[in-house]
Amino acid sequence: MALTTMQPPRPPKDERRPTAPRVAPPARDVLAVVVANAAIIVGLWFRHGGLGASHGAGGALTGVGQLSGLLGAYAVLLQLLLMARIPLLERHLGFDGLARWHRWNGFAAVVLIAIHAVTITLGYAAAGRLTVLGQLGDFIRHYPDVLMGIVATVLLLAIGVTSVRAARARLKRETWYFIHLYGYLAIALGFAHQLAVGSDFTSDPLARVWWVGMFVAVGGSILVWRVAWPVWFNARHRLRVADVVDEAPGVFSVYVTGRDLEGVRAQAGQFFLWRFLTRDRWWQAHPFSLSAAPDGEALRITVKDLGDYTHTLRELRPGGRVFAEGPYGTFTAGRRTRRRVVLIAGGIGITPLRALLETLPGDRGDITLLYRVQRPQDFVFRGELERLASDRGIVIHPIAGTDVGDDETDRLGVPALRRLVPDVAERDVYLCGPPGLVDVLHRRLRRLGVPRRQIHSERFAY
């Protein structure tokens, strides 16, 4: 692949207007709904007496425990809703946005549930003149509904601990996933606990209807988008492995065919959760982006062999059944706001960008690709990229090297980006690669004056 160094002339100002509206409405719309529901919950708590609902010793602590328990339960419901793969939420927040909301809301849920457990225990202990251990024993012996809440709290705290980045890095994806499945049991136990002993439920039909309605809405969303939709999608398309093709050392593509693929409403840049239904892989689902724009005949994903699960995919045989969930993600041409675009790929992060190169509209010179790998032999899709460069006038800069410098000396440092793409601040930027590289490039692009709204990113684990 020849290194392209010539840049086309900078277009006049009026030609740099957005060519497509942003797909995602402002996240503040979602935030307004979340805050409004939280306000209703607080209002219902005040309706039942607030801090004065329980009198005597420990009354204030018990009131704080009730409010933190209600808000904690609400945060847990939001956790489920954020990861229910609801298309409307993806359009509002984007997939990276959903992940950020899920992370911070999860932290809030764990903190609120912990506060609830501590303050309720202290409040009841003060009222009954018991020690903390004595009060816990009393809960376990005489309050079976509270015992359900204790079990739910322990399960949610365990999920929270295993979600911390350091802990998650030590766990296999499947282990982490199965631990999180206990979250559904925790929520069921917690809801039963609320219905049985919560002051918002035992004496107020309005509050009871409100909370039951929220649980039903969240449960229905999960059933529709995480169960019914994938089952219908796969029953309709009957996906199968068509071929496995080597692309570069340690990198291969899996081609998937099926019935009526013209009806797969996937876009370049999106991903599916893929489950290959062999004896030893059927229970594993992993996300892989499409590495070619859907053409109605086949879907292609490209995988880097990192050992373990990814290594076994090289052994897939034609005809094997496939179960896919998706398409997911908003890393698509619809996010584009400017006429000119630069795409920056790190390693196997080239896969969704390769698909995007087929669908991003633009005249010759409007699109630039910066593609970084460790070694020249690691370039994937060399022939395909050369054809795209020739046919569409895409400017491609392959960058090879194992050295990673600072913001000034790195081959994708601030001076290098300014030299390779002089008008980068007036372009949309699509980033895809390892999380560390994406975070660093975000910072460098901001130093170069690229507005946040023009930076679209996806972090790649595979």
Side-chain angles (χ1 to χ4, degrees):
M1 186 185 301
L3 179 64
T4 304
T5 58
M6 294 297 295
Q7 292 289 329
R10 186 171 172 174
K13 185 174 181 179
D14 63 351
E15 292 184 350
R16 297 196 301 272
R17 294 174 180 170
T19 58
R22 291 180 62 82
V23 171
R28 62 176 176 267
D29 295 348
V30 178
L31 182 61
V33 175
V34 171
V35 171
N37 275 284
I40 291 172
I41 291 169
V42 174
L44 289 172
W45 176 72
F46 274 113
R47 170 186 165 98
H48 304 132
L51 289 176
S54 299
H55 302 286
L61 283 170
T62 301
V64 170
Q66 290 169 347
L67 179 60
S68 59
L70 293 169
L71 292 176
Y74 177 54
V76 170
L77 285 178
L78 286 178
Q79 282 294 89
L80 295 179
L81 204 63
L82 288 170
M83 289 293 112
R85 308 296 190 197
I86 301 173
L88 181 62
L89 282 180
E90 283 206 5
R91 288 196 296 271
H92 274 68
L93 301 177
F95 191 76
D96 270 0
L98 280 171
R100 286 193 297 272
W101 278 53
H102 189 262
R103 181 171 63 253
W104 288 108
N105 182 73
F107 176 77
V110 170
V111 170
L112 287 167
I113 294 297
I115 291 173
H116 167 71
V118 171
T119 52
I120 284 289
T121 302
L122 291 175
Y124 272 72
R129 298 183 179 180
L130 297 173
T131 66
V132 171
L133 291 178
Q135 184 59 58
L136 285 173
D138 187 56
F139 279 152
I140 294 172
R141 290 192 304 271
H142 302 114
Y143 296 86
D145 299 316
V146 175
L147 180 59
M148 289 190 297
I150 293 173
V151 173
T153 299
V154 171
L155 290 174
L156 289 173
L157 289 176
I159 292 170
V161 169
T162 57
S163 295
V164 174
R165 185 172 299 179
R168 184 173 177 180
R170 296 176 178 271
L171 296 173
K172 291 184 177 181
R173 176 183 171 83
E174 290 76 25
T175 303
W176 176 84
Y177 176 76
F178 281 118
I179 290 174
H180 273 63
L181 287 180
Y182 283 103
Y184 293 104
L185 174 60
I187 291 164
L189 291 172
F191 187 44
H193 163 70
Q194 284 180 283
L195 287 175
V197 301
S199 61
D200 269 29
F201 301 89
T202 55
S203 59
D204 188 344
L206 175 62
R208 196 179 186 96
V209 168
W210 180 263
W211 276 95
V212 169
M214 284 200 295
F215 273 88
V216 169
V218 171
S221 298
I222 293 171
L223 286 175
V224 169
W225 298 110
R226 297 302 297 268
V227 180
W229 168 258
V231 169
W232 178 86
F233 177 90
N234 286 275
R236 175 185 178 186
H237 296 295
R238 299 181 185 179
L239 302 176
R240 292 184 179 275
V241 174
D243 201 2
V244 180
V245 177
D246 289 322
E247 300 285 0
V251 179
F252 55 91
S253 290
V254 179
Y255 288 80
V256 176
T257 57
R259 186 179 65 174
D260 189 25
L261 292 189
E262 297 86 354
V264 176
R265 292 181 293 177
Q267 300 178 58
Q270 290 188 303
F271 70 95
F272 288 80
L273 290 174
W274 300 92
R275 193 184 301 269
F276 297 95
L277 304 183
T278 62
R279 180 180 299 178
D280 55 348
R281 301 183 193 91
W282 65 268
W283 51 278
Q284 297 175 302
H286 288 256
F288 292 103
S289 295
L290 297 175
S291 61
D295 60 5
E297 297 182 1
L299 302 173
R300 185 181 77 176
I301 62 173
T302 302
V303 181
K304 183 175 182 179
D305 185 349
L306 298 175
D308 198 20
Y309 176 80
T310 53
H311 177 72
T312 67
L313 296 184
R314 184 64 187 82
E315 303 168 2
L316 291 171
R317 295 291 178 263
R321 294 293 301 274
V322 182
F323 190 94
E325 299 177 44
Y328 299 133
T330 58
F331 192 66
T332 66
R335 300 288 298 277
R336 184 177 179 178
T337 65
R338 313 290 286 183
R339 170 180 163 178
R340 311 193 85 202
V341 179
V342 58
L343 299 88
I344 308 178
I348 198 62
I350 187 63
T351 52
L353 300 182
R354 158 64 187 85
L356 275 171
L357 286 173
E358 293 184 62
T359 61
L360 282 171
D363 297 330
R364 301 185 72 85
D366 282 348
I367 301 172
T368 296
L369 170 67
L370 309 182
Y371 180 13
R372 181 171 191 161
V373 296
Q374 291 188 348
R375 306 168 301 172
Q377 58 267 37
D378 293 330
F379 287 115
V380 184
F381 312 126
R382 181 183 297 269
E384 296 178 19
L385 293 175
E386 288 177 344
R387 285 193 295 273
L388 285 168
S390 174
D391 295 344
R392 299 195 56 202
I394 296 171
V395 180
I396 300 178
H397 295 285
I399 303 168
T402 57
D403 58 311
V404 178
D406 57 27
D407 287 358
E408 302 302 321
T409 63
D410 185 47
R411 297 186 185 189
L412 282 177
V414 173
L417 290 171
R418 185 182 290 117
R419 174 176 55 83
L420 294 170
V421 193
D423 62 341
V424 65
E426 297 163 8
R427 295 180 180 235
D428 272 302
V429 184
Y430 285 79
L431 303 175
C432 190
L437 177 63
V438 170
D439 292 340
V440 166
L441 287 172
H442 261 280
R443 184 182 69 245
R444 294 172 181 174
L445 290 166
R446 295 291 293 135
R447 284 186 56 187
L448 288 166
V450 182
R452 293 184 189 278
R453 66 180 179 275
Q454 291 172 213
I455 304 175
H456 321 293
S457 62
E458 187 159 291
R459 292 160 175 81
F460 244 51
Y462 292 107

